Amino acid sequence: MSFVEVARRVEPVAEVECLRMNPGANCDFRIVVDDRPTMPPNAYQTLDSSGRPVLAFTAALIAIVRNGDELAFVMSHEASHHILGHLERMDRNASEGAAAFGRIARETAGATPDQIREAELLGAQVGARSYSKEFELEADRFGTRVAAEAGFDPLHGAEFFLRLPDPGNRLMGTHPSNGERIATVQSAAAELGLGPFRR
């Protein structure tokens, strides 16, 4: 199944779910391909200058998905980041981290302005990452629903994780282990009455 066909089916479902969860929000998803040849396999959610949610997929990622279910799951996952407000929550966490680390630095005897700025930058990084694994699992769970409602099999789609390097459970990592992600999809699928995970 083509990228365009998957997007055509996933986008309206994601929009309906977005408006249901966030009445009045900008839920007009724009789905794009990042065709820069140097970009590794990746998909991400961002906002354009007008606040419109953008779901971007590198050509390298599109090349390694094996079927429409996998692509639909990844697309639904990225849409879920916007639906669940993860960018805004990350920004808030980063601001809180910067403020906390900056306050500690300012209270440290002899701290220079440069040291305070460095502490704030570090605090922003720590704050932004503090719940990133939870956000990924939340997006996997909600993305399971979006993919299923769009007529795809999220259990089959989540087999994509089996081919990715496992990020493990590193202290400052941004993604949970592949096993955690698969278990999350299995749990969400069971709640929706979908069948067992196929290996």
Side-chain angles (χ1 to χ4, degrees), residues 8-179:
R8 186 188 67 77
R9 288 171 56 180
V10 170
E11 194 279 333
V13 173
E15 183 173 331
V16 166
E17 287 294 338
C18 178
L19 289 170
R20 181 178 68 81
M21 297 280 288
N22 310 286
N26 189 336
C27 295
D28 183 19
F29 288 96
R30 181 171 167 240
I31 302 173
V32 301
V33 176
D34 181 342
D35 60 1
R36 292 175 289 176
T38 57
M39 295 298 288
N42 192 25
Y44 55 94
Q45 185 263 314
T46 188
L47 301 174
D48 69 13
S49 58
S50 69
R52 183 181 182 186
V54 177
L55 309 180
F57 301 81
T58 64
L61 181 134
I62 294 168
I64 65 170
V65 295
R66 290 186 175 165
N67 52 62
D69 291 323
E70 289 187 356
L71 184 56
F73 180 79
V74 175
M75 196 173 289
S76 299
H77 167 93
E78 295 304 330
S80 295
H81 279 307
H82 178 69
I83 294 168
L84 299 172
H86 288 163
L87 282 182
E88 295 86 350
R89 288 162 66 187
M90 280 180 64
D91 287 346
R92 187 166 58 249
N93 292 342
S95 295
E96 290 171 358
F101 277 52
R103 185 171 57 253
I104 292 168
R106 281 190 295 278
E107 292 171 357
T108 302
T112 67
D114 284 345
Q115 289 171 328
I116 293 171
R117 263 193 305 279
E118 286 176 15
E120 289 172 339
L121 288 173
L122 178 60
Q125 291 175 345
V126 171
R129 290 173 179 248
S130 59
Y131 294 101
S132 59
K133 291 179 183 178
E134 289 84 349
F135 291 167
E136 291 301 320
L137 293 174
E138 286 178 8
D140 287 339
R141 176 169 290 281
F142 201 86
T144 299
R145 171 182 296 279
V146 173
E149 288 179 0
F152 292 95
D153 180 351
L155 292 166
H156 191 216
E159 290 178 4
F160 182 67
F161 293 133
L162 298 175
R163 298 196 314 279
L164 296 179
D166 196 328
N169 196 19
R170 293 187 300 252
L171 177 62
M172 289 297 288
T174 57
H175 286 67
S177 70
N178 292 342

